[in-house]
Amino acid sequence: MFPYFVLTAFLHRVVNAGGSIEREYAIGMGRMDICVRYKDLVLGIELKVWRDGEPDPLAEGLEQIDGYLAGLSQETGWLIIFDRRSGLPRISERTTTEVSLTPSGRQIRVIRA
């Protein structure tokens, strides 16, 4: 879970001047990994780890964040996929960002690192 801690440390610096970060934010029947609140901004973030022998967690993550965002009445959020499979290029060479849609049509910024 080292990537999770690095991300939350970074986010703490971002919201230091008046925001908050809630981890394992209880919403509906589940728990969203991170909810960032800063002034009028509410940002739901779901984290997934892709390990050797497992399928790409994109579809599962989009479905999860869709439900969480519905509970927050938000139309956008972030899904961060930490690719921990062996034999990959350096993180600086493989990090990408794209926009994907959830099953109900919410726009999600997907970060792969």
Side-chain angles (χ1 to χ4, degrees):
M1 274 324 275
F2 182 72
Y4 173 85
F5 294 123
V6 171
L7 177 63
T8 55
F10 168 76
L11 290 173
H12 270 289
R13 299 287 303 217
V14 171
V15 301
N16 196 26
S20 67
I21 298 173
E22 300 170 50
R23 292 173 203 81
E24 294 295 321
Y25 185 79
I27 184 97
M29 297 298 291
R31 293 191 171 274
M32 182 173 45
D33 288 322
I34 300 173
C35 183
V36 176
R37 296 180 186 274
Y38 185 78
K39 298 182 181 178
D40 293 335
L41 173 71
V42 177
L43 179 61
I45 302 174
E46 182 63 22
L47 307 174
K48 292 291 180 196
V49 177
W50 190 359
R51 293 184 177 88
D52 286 325
E54 296 178 357
D56 184 344
L58 177 64
E60 177 187 359
L62 289 172
E63 188 172 332
Q64 270 186 284
I65 192 83
D66 195 27
Y68 299 149
L69 294 175
L72 289 171
S73 299
Q74 299 295 308
E75 292 302 314
T76 62
W78 285 26
L79 171 60
I80 301 175
I81 300 173
F82 294 107
D83 196 339
R84 307 295 286 174
R85 296 174 297 154
S86 57
L88 296 174
R90 296 173 55 121
I91 194 167
S92 61
E93 298 170 13
R94 70 174 190 263
T95 301
T96 62
T97 181
E98 64 187 23
V99 174
S100 293
L101 296 177
T102 65
S104 69
R106 289 180 171 83
Q107 285 193 340
I108 305 301
R109 174 69 54 188
V110 178
I111 309 292
R112 292 179 180 266

